Amino acid sequence: MIGFGKTDLGSTRLNNEDSIYVSNERVGPLENLYIISDGMGGHNAGEVASGKAIEFFVEHIKSYEAELRDEDILNLMMDAVRYANSKVYYISCQDQSMSGMGTTFTAATFVRGRCYIAHLGDSRAYVIKPDGMSQITIDHTYVNDLVRASIISDEQARTHHLRNVITRALGSESSCDVDPYSVDVEEGDRFLLCSDGLSTMLEDSQIEPVVASDTGLKAIASRLIDMANEHGGVDNISVILIGEGGLGHDA
């Protein structure tokens, strides 16, 4: 598996509060590492939160010195999220201009035929298989809670006036609740991590054929970002694609 990531300002924002991390090489005991982090907060606080979250997460991963068994991978990733949460929260408490900042956080690593994910917020992880695309992660948003309770439909959620209200974020409180995922990786699978700047602009049915196309990962990333901008680009747009084969060239 090899990954490629790209982030874009979008069509309306003045600064990019998304941060991404792409390593096809070993990071501490992990064979690879891919992260999407979408910050929130006033002034520059969002970009500080997303950038620092990744920095502290990677710092914790690199500090792990024991032998890492497969069954320990998710625990390490979740501990790293909690460590990053405490560090980002401390910064927000020390600097009034950073008060209340936070970030979504979705990290993935691939080890011996499995994908391990630590997630909170409304950035997403998808798997694209020959028979279709499915979302691995659950959005931690107010409207998704309503959908899951069958109070509103998926279609209503896309235009709901509270659709941007996030129920879980890294760094906004002294502790955080992180979701772990572990899925099998089969031949031909592709994985997509994205911020909501992509998923709110495009339907899954628009994303799927692009990611499933017989195209290099760089061209796919560029095409997805172009499509999100063509549909309004009202937020920063970040994508990371992981799959077999080469990266290809930018579109």
Side-chain angles (χ1 to χ4, degrees):
M1 303 293 281
I2 192 168
F4 175 79
K6 189 171 185 177
T7 185
D8 187 81
L9 185 63
S11 300
T12 64
R13 295 297 179 92
L14 298 178
N15 65 314
N16 194 343
E17 296 188 330
D18 287 2
S19 296
I20 65 174
Y21 183 90
V22 176
S23 178
N24 294 312
E25 306 296 331
R26 181 172 291 274
V27 178
L30 300 181
E31 295 180 8
N32 47 65
L33 184 59
Y34 311 97
I35 307 171
I36 291 265
S37 185
D38 178 1
M40 64 201 81
H43 303 292
N44 295 323
E47 62 189 78
V48 171
S50 64
K52 287 295 184 181
I54 291 176
E55 176 186 332
F56 293 133
F57 180 91
V58 172
E59 177 183 290
H60 187 82
I61 295 294
K62 288 183 175 179
S63 71
Y64 189 88
E65 296 181 348
E67 181 181 352
L68 186 66
R69 301 171 299 175
D70 290 359
E71 57 266 33
D72 298 326
I73 293 173
L74 280 176
N75 287 333
L76 172 60
M77 295 176 73
M78 293 172 70
D79 285 345
V81 171
R82 296 185 186 107
Y83 172 80
N85 183 85
S86 66
K87 300 285 277 188
V88 172
Y89 181 72
Y90 177 80
I91 293 173
S92 72
C93 292
Q94 299 302 306
D95 187 336
Q96 185 61 34
S97 68
M98 304 293 170
S99 179
M101 71 177 178
T103 185
T104 72
F105 199 86
T106 304
T109 188
F110 295 79
V111 181
R112 286 180 287 278
R114 288 194 71 79
C115 172
Y116 300 88
I117 296 172
H119 163 79
L120 70 169
D122 66 348
S123 296
R124 292 180 176 180
Y126 291 94
V127 59
I128 297 85
K129 294 179 174 292
D131 60 351
M133 181 174 82
S134 59
Q135 184 177 338
I136 300 170
T137 53
I138 293 173
D139 294 347
H140 299 135
T141 62
Y142 175 72
V143 295
N144 193 50
D145 288 345
L146 296 180
V147 171
R148 288 165 61 82
S150 300
I151 296 172
I152 64 173
S153 67
D154 287 330
E155 187 60 32
Q156 289 173 317
R158 293 190 69 83
T159 57
H160 197 283
H161 67 289
L162 297 178
R163 62 188 179 277
N164 294 323
V165 176
I166 295 175
T167 55
R168 293 194 212 174
L170 187 156
S172 59
E173 298 181 4
S174 59
S175 62
C176 67
D177 187 9
V178 55
D179 285 349
Y181 299 89
S182 175
V183 298
D184 287 329
V185 180
E186 299 175 345
E187 185 177 355
D189 287 355
R190 278 179 170 168
F191 289 79
L192 168 67
L193 310 183
C194 67
S195 62
D196 69 335
L198 182 77
S199 58
T200 58
M201 290 295 96
L202 301 177
E203 301 277 0
D204 286 4
S205 60
Q206 296 170 295
I207 296 172
E208 179 182 341
V210 178
V211 181
S213 64
D214 186 18
T215 310
L217 301 183
K218 288 185 177 182
I220 292 172
S222 294
R223 180 59 187 142
L224 289 175
I225 288 173
D226 287 346
M227 289 171 63
N229 278 317
E230 290 164 6
H231 283 76
V234 299
D235 200 353
N236 310 137
I237 310 156
S238 295
V239 299
I240 298 175
L241 290 145
I242 308 105
E244 300 171 340
L247 298 177
H249 301 286
D250 289 315

